[in-house]
Amino acid sequence: MLISLTVADERLTTAHRAKLAYVYVRQSSVNQVRQHQESTELQYRLVDRAIGLGWPPERVRVIDEDLGKSGAGAVDRHGFQKLIAEIGLGNAGLVVSLDASRLARNNRDWHQLLELCSVFGVLIADGERLYDPRAYHDRLLLGLSGIMSEAELHQLRMRLHQGERQKAARGELRLPLPAGLAYDRAGTIILNPDEEVQARLHLVFAKFRELQSARRVMRYLDRNGLSLPVRPLLGPSPHEIVWRAPDSARVLSILQNPAYAGAYVYGRRQKDPSRCRPGSLTGTVKVAIADWAVCLDAAHPGYISWEEFMANQGRLADNVFRYEAGHSGVPRKGAALLQGIAICGRCGRRMSMRYTGPNADYPVYCCRSDRDQQGSALCQEVRALAVDALVERV
């Protein structure tokens, strides 16, 4: 409800009215903008609120670039960033919004706004009253409004997440499917009807059984000019099958996806704010298989068995050169016996290989970490044949 002031407020001064009034309009999602047009119209009517407080219509600015965007953060809200900039430049005398949740849904952004308004003497108004962030009691009320707004968002998220997880526990939550699977008209998960897609995925799994390395599978596909089917989640044609050139990431995404083993899985990734990238609110990290929230075996048809999927994960983990964790690494070509596992006796770091001689057929264990990282001389290098002979005798 919008309430017009009939009595002049002593907090409103000529200095405030000499600056601009900014009306901030925001709704959290595109669906809200489409389906809740009364709320949008109510926010636009805040222009009349600013006019009623003494601002001429031509000195009232509407900021509505953030329609359809969440207020949980300010990263993607260009309208909110514009408002902060105008306040910092000293152009604003009044900020009008329907309530605190429209301006921010977290206390960091909310208190940043309050601090700037306090420093530059900007008043804040909603549909009911006027606030001066420099006044103790007004600042207290505004702070409580921000806390309630953030708490409300937390409660909404918690209820939605609990309902989503309960539905996923029954295997009824509709999840995005990889390219090799599809939903039929009844909503049942089936193999992709495209036989070329099926054949290409069967080839990937067969080659991994043969080559035991995702990188080797990628090289095989690349040498033979074979693309991989991908179902993009974003772009001009989301969820439509497209063919992309093979790379290690795409091969790994196929080998590590439990859906191809016929499993229904929920909770493969979890939020980790420390992994947040520029332009996003939160980052995500992979969750260990044992910690998946929901994992239903044989929930739908697959390309491999669950036992083969687990064996593949063990093979992929073992292919990583982490011998301290008991991983042997991918077998590689080379004439040296200890290639990839030789440790430098001076610094304790892993030694690499190089080959000398007229035909490059004499292997040498080389510790080049100091040179590569610091530009200094080699730590040491040792001819491999003598070391290998000693190891063989032992």
Side-chain angles (χ1 to χ4, degrees):
M1 178 183 296
L2 300 182
I3 301 176
S4 300
L5 290 181
T6 57
V7 180
D9 196 311
E10 67 273 6
R11 285 169 292 192
L12 280 171
T13 65
T14 306
H16 291 117
R17 294 190 177 96
K19 299 179 181 180
L20 300 175
Y22 288 91
V23 176
Y24 183 76
V25 179
R26 184 191 67 81
Q27 284 187 277
S28 298
S29 66
V30 176
N31 285 335
Q32 286 187 355
V33 177
R34 292 174 179 172
Q35 300 175 10
H36 301 280
Q37 298 181 6
E38 287 296 328
S39 176
T40 307
E41 180 64 24
L42 185 63
Q43 293 184 67
Y44 278 114
R45 285 176 54 195
L46 290 171
V47 173
D48 299 333
R49 174 87 161 104
I51 295 173
L53 291 172
W55 268 263
E58 64 273 9
R59 297 189 61 79
V60 179
R61 302 286 188 269
V62 176
I63 298 178
D64 56 1
E65 289 94 331
D66 295 340
L67 279 172
K69 296 182 180 179
S70 171
V75 176
D76 294 324
R77 288 199 294 151
H78 301 295
F80 184 78
Q81 294 175 8
K82 177 181 176 181
L83 177 63
I84 292 293
E86 293 296 324
I87 295 173
L89 291 171
N91 297 332
L94 175 70
V95 174
V96 189
S97 183
L98 194 60
D99 52 50
S101 66
R102 304 295 176 180
L103 286 162
R105 280 285 198 175
N106 67 77
N107 281 321
R108 179 191 59 204
D109 297 335
W110 178 241
H111 285 285
Q112 178 192 16
L113 176 68
L114 294 185
E115 187 65 28
L116 283 173
C117 289
S118 176
V119 170
F120 292 94
V122 180
L123 300 178
I124 296 177
D126 56 19
E128 296 182 353
R129 60 168 296 173
L130 192 69
Y131 303 90
D132 184 356
R134 293 175 297 182
Y136 170 76
H137 290 94
D138 285 357
R139 192 179 182 91
L140 179 62
L141 288 174
L142 290 170
L144 291 174
S145 296
I147 293 174
M148 295 301 295
S149 176
E150 189 176 55
E152 179 187 18
L153 181 61
H154 172 74
Q155 293 293 332
L156 290 172
R157 283 178 173 172
M158 185 175 64
R159 288 197 295 267
L160 288 173
H161 179 71
Q162 289 176 344
E164 182 181 87
R165 180 164 179 170
Q166 183 176 353
K167 193 172 183 179
R170 303 193 301 267
E172 298 175 359
L173 181 65
R174 193 179 179 99
L175 301 174
L177 295 178
L181 301 172
Y183 286 105
D184 62 11
R185 294 183 177 179
T188 304
I189 300 176
I190 60 173
L191 299 182
N192 194 313
D194 190 329
E195 295 182 357
E196 185 179 7
V197 172
Q198 292 188 31
R200 191 60 46 83
L201 292 172
H202 280 302
L203 176 64
V204 170
F205 289 111
K207 281 299 175 182
F208 185 75
R209 283 193 292 268
E210 174 187 348
L211 302 175
Q212 297 289 296
S213 167
R215 189 171 183 82
R216 290 177 180 173
V217 173
M218 181 272 292
R219 289 177 175 174
Y220 170 84
L221 296 172
D222 186 60
R223 284 197 307 268
N224 292 274
L226 300 175
S227 302
L228 290 175
V230 178
R231 192 191 299 277
L233 297 179
L234 303 174
S237 300
H239 308 294
E240 295 293 333
I241 299 298
V242 295
W243 293 87
R244 303 294 189 196
D247 58 25
S248 296
R250 292 192 176 104
V251 173
L252 283 173
S253 69
I254 293 173
L255 296 174
Q256 294 176 343
N257 197 324
Y260 285 128
Y264 180 94
V265 173
Y266 173 82
R268 291 177 61 199
R269 305 187 72 88
Q270 67 181 9
K271 292 183 178 180
D272 183 1
S274 65
R275 301 292 184 91
C276 180
R277 296 180 179 180
S280 63
L281 297 178
T282 56
T284 59
V285 294
K286 290 184 178 180
V287 176
I289 296 178
D291 297 329
W292 286 346
V294 177
C295 182
L296 306 177
D297 298 344
H300 54 78
Y303 289 81
I304 58 175
S305 66
W306 179 255
E307 291 73 20
E308 183 176 354
F309 171 78
M310 293 300 295
N312 288 347
Q313 306 318 298
R315 177 70 263 178
L316 290 171
D318 201 41
N319 285 348
V320 180
F321 283 105
R322 291 173 56 198
Y323 293 92
E324 66 278 4
H327 297 173
S328 60
V330 182
R332 300 176 184 270
K333 296 180 180 179
L337 178 64
L338 305 178
Q339 178 170 314
I341 61 175
I343 302 295
C344 178
R346 290 182 177 176
C347 64
R349 288 174 287 194
R350 199 166 305 282
M351 305 180 77
S352 59
M353 294 297 304
R354 72 180 185 91
Y355 292 86
T356 63
N359 300 317
D361 51 2
Y362 290 96
V364 177
Y365 297 122
C366 179
C367 181
R368 63 180 71 189
S369 297
D370 289 340
R371 189 182 68 180
D372 293 344
Q373 298 176 10
Q374 304 173 9
S376 57
L378 291 174
C379 178
Q380 70 166 331
E381 59 180 13
V382 183
R383 291 188 176 274
L385 296 181
V387 176
D388 293 350
L390 178 62
V391 172
E392 289 174 358
R393 287 197 301 270
V394 174

